[in-house]
Amino acid sequence: MPSSDACAGYARAVMKVVAGLEDAIEKSGRAYPKARAQIARMKAAQAAYVAGGCHGDVTADDPNSRCHGVVAVTIGASTLDVTLLTDEAGLRAHGREPKGAVSGGA
């Protein structure tokens, strides 16, 4: 539930890993457009969750609440590996062989 300590803790932990991944992407100097877009959606969801005061607010648990947008963090975490692989495949297909590919594992 969005108001729970578990949700807040999970979202923070995921976004900490995502920040590290974003840094690695930046250092690689490569585009990773799909992964960057997914990370941006995840960051926006986390920011809205914090700005909305969702943690600890029981009204946040209403499925119609804007706080349910935090699911973008959890969905993003579960699919970011595939998104990175898709970006890698696209770069290879266009003759831009990776020098130092970014590792998934997010």
Side-chain angles (χ1 to χ4, degrees):
M1 303 303 285
S3 69
S4 71
D5 289 344
C7 182
Y10 181 68
R12 270 191 308 274
V14 167
M15 294 311 294
K16 184 176 180 180
V17 172
V18 168
L21 175 61
E22 187 175 37
D23 186 51
I25 288 172
E26 188 65 34
K27 287 178 182 174
S28 78
R30 303 191 60 233
Y32 292 95
K34 291 177 182 2
R36 285 182 186 257
Q38 187 168 344
I39 289 169
R41 287 189 299 273
M42 293 170 72
K43 288 170 72 173
Q46 175 68 4
Y49 178 82
V50 172
C54 299
H55 179 225
D57 179 359
V58 294
T59 64
D61 297 335
D62 180 339
N64 297 313
S65 163
R66 70 185 178 287
C67 295
H68 274 263
V70 75
V71 76
V73 172
T74 58
I75 290 171
S78 65
T79 61
L80 201 46
D81 282 0
V82 173
T83 305
L84 285 165
L85 290 172
T86 301
D87 279 340
E88 283 293 325
L91 291 168
R92 285 188 177 111
H94 291 97
R96 290 177 261 171
E97 198 63 29
K99 293 178 185 172
V102 175
S103 171

